[in-house]
Amino acid sequence: MKIDVDLSDPAFVADPYPVLAELRAAGPMLWHEPTQRWLATTHDAVSQTLRKRRLGRIWTDWEPTDDMEPFNALHRNQMMENEPPAHTRLRRLVAGAFGRGHVERMRPRVEALTARLLDGLSGTADILGDYAEPLPVYVICDLLGVPGDDHAQLRTWSQGIVHMYEQGVGEETKREAITASVAFSEYVAALVAERKAQMARGIRGDDLLTDLIAERDTESGGAARLSEDELVATVVLLLNAGHEASVNVFGNGVHALLSHPAQRDRVLSGVVSVATALEELIRYDAPLQLFERTATADVEIAGTTVRTGEKVACLMGSANRDAAVFAEPDAFDVSRDPNPHVGFGMGLHFCLGAPLARMELEISLGRLLERFPRLALNGVAPRRPTWVLRGFEGVEIDLGEAA
């Protein structure tokens, strides 16, 4: 079935879920004329698309390529935009730092950062800018060995880059992405040069950046496993991905929780654990609404043949509201269990940082509720004018009295 829905329409961006419900009702795979790609609308169609190896992340440089090279290089050389064997090599080099055992060893540091940020809150606060944004940046900076005090600048550069993932990108967005890509790359390259100089003097840090620089391939005579471009792109990806989704999960989730006081009280009373509630926060208002794949060979998805070279846009927020999988899918239910949302993806590109994100979010949400059990929304929270990466500009809350 062919459709021409405008995915950049402000009304859709503000609340995509009624239109997504109509798309699911129309079919699991719909041909979208304006973007010349398939839309996977159901949980099954999205799951198949994410899991089948004939559908991959195939990077295509933005044009004009000379102007867009700083942005293109950051994506061409990172794991998320590559398939095996490049993806396997790049992912393996960082996977250990995000394993469950290593993440659990980071728990005391996350607890300490959370307590410090909470100590700075009182009265009313923007729970995004004052709490949710700094925390994951501090954590990923700790992991990499990057100065955490630069978190505001890193967030600005990240926003400049990720706006390119939206629909109908304009020239101003492209210029901002180029500027951010150049600045971010230069920042990381300077950190790499500084770390290499320290290592040459026999000073070795206990961080992921040092480990990535030190990785050598013994089978190729000690050559670096990462090229300079791959090293910079990998660090930028980790800094971006390490906080962007977490911030929006927290903002969207806390807003939903405080918009449903009865559900909030079930968590506050301990009837529902924070860990269980967190999965509903991820499902209910997905921070990543679209993820694209390209067919490397003809493949069937939900009864539809996708031809070689055709693209499939997985509508993640739609999959998370599929009544075939979720009872009362439009209801916010913190006790929903099991909760097989697609918030962290599936298959080869399943989110490497999922254990870290879950740990951060469980601690930050749980400690916030413990410290300020009477917290409530303070006014209307303004939405970002974006859909693919869905979130708020800020979420102001009245904290009430601390416990």
Side-chain angles (χ1 to χ4, degrees), residues 91-402:
R91 186 177 176 110
R92 185 180 294 136
L93 291 173
V94 301
F98 293 92
R100 292 187 185 278
H102 187 77
V103 164
E104 280 305 309
R105 287 192 291 273
M106 297 173 65
R107 183 178 288 273
R109 175 60 173 157
V110 176
E111 292 275 13
L113 285 168
T114 299
R116 191 183 88 191
L117 289 168
L118 286 172
D119 286 344
L121 301 181
S122 63
T124 61
D126 173 11
I127 206 62
L128 285 185
D130 297 335
Y131 185 60
E133 288 183 2
L135 177 61
V137 181
Y138 281 134
V139 172
I140 199 67
C141 284
D142 273 4
L143 184 67
L144 282 161
V146 172
D149 289 342
D150 294 337
H151 69 85
Q153 183 60 73
L154 297 178
R155 176 73 171 158
T156 299
W157 288 333
S158 175
Q159 288 292 296
I161 291 170
V162 302
H163 285 162
M164 286 290 291
Y165 308 154
E166 298 299 326
Q167 309 299 295
V169 169
E171 292 303 313
E172 183 177 354
T173 299
K174 290 181 182 179
R175 286 192 296 271
E176 290 174 352
I178 293 168
T179 300
S181 297
V182 170
F184 214 154
S185 298
E186 290 177 347
Y187 174 86
V188 172
L191 288 173
V192 170
E194 178 183 338
R195 197 61 45 84
K196 284 183 175 180
Q198 292 174 345
M199 293 167 69
R201 298 194 302 271
I203 303 170
R204 171 151 184 166
D206 183 20
D207 57 73
L208 181 55
L209 180 56
T210 298
D211 291 345
L212 292 174
I213 294 170
E215 275 285 350
R216 317 300 289 185
D217 187 348
T218 56
E219 294 181 3
S220 62
R225 289 178 184 265
L226 284 170
S227 70
E228 289 294 316
D229 287 343
E230 288 174 338
L231 179 55
V232 170
T234 296
V235 174
V236 170
L237 169 65
L238 294 176
L239 286 167
N240 273 353
H243 78 277
E244 193 67 45
S246 293
V247 170
N248 289 332
V249 165
F250 191 92
N252 294 356
V254 166
H255 187 273
L257 189 66
L258 300 185
S259 298
H260 297 81
Q263 297 293 314
R264 176 204 61 195
D265 291 346
R266 297 178 75 193
V267 181
L268 280 168
S269 66
V271 171
V272 177
S273 71
V274 172
T276 297
L278 174 59
E279 301 304 315
E280 182 69 348
L281 268 59
I282 298 169
R283 180 202 74 89
Y284 182 72
D285 195 9
L288 176 64
Q289 291 278 330
L290 183 151
F291 203 51
E292 195 174 81
R293 292 286 195 273
T294 302
T296 57
D298 288 2
V299 59
E300 184 174 300
I301 300 293
T304 296
T305 299
V306 179
R307 301 296 181 188
T308 304
E310 291 182 340
K311 296 182 182 298
V312 181
C314 295
L315 302 186
M316 313 293 272
S318 180
N320 284 344
R321 297 285 187 105
D322 188 345
V325 176
F326 303 99
E328 299 184 71
D330 293 323
F332 181 68
D333 179 5
V334 293
S335 64
R336 192 183 299 275
D337 186 26
N339 195 336
H341 61 75
V342 297
F344 291 113
M346 292 179 176
L348 187 71
H349 290 276
F350 180 81
C351 178
L352 187 66
L356 177 59
R358 281 190 165 106
M359 186 261 282
E360 285 178 6
L361 289 163
E362 184 178 347
I363 290 173
S364 58
L365 178 62
R367 300 299 173 265
L368 175 68
L369 295 175
E370 289 172 5
R371 181 78 68 93
F372 300 106
R374 298 174 183 82
L375 79 173
L377 290 174
N378 186 24
V380 177
R383 279 278 181 191
R384 290 187 181 277
T386 57
W387 168 61
V388 174
L389 294 173
R390 180 167 167 79
F392 289 95
E393 294 283 3
V395 178
E396 188 169 290
I397 63 172
D398 183 350
L399 294 164
E401 294 183 8

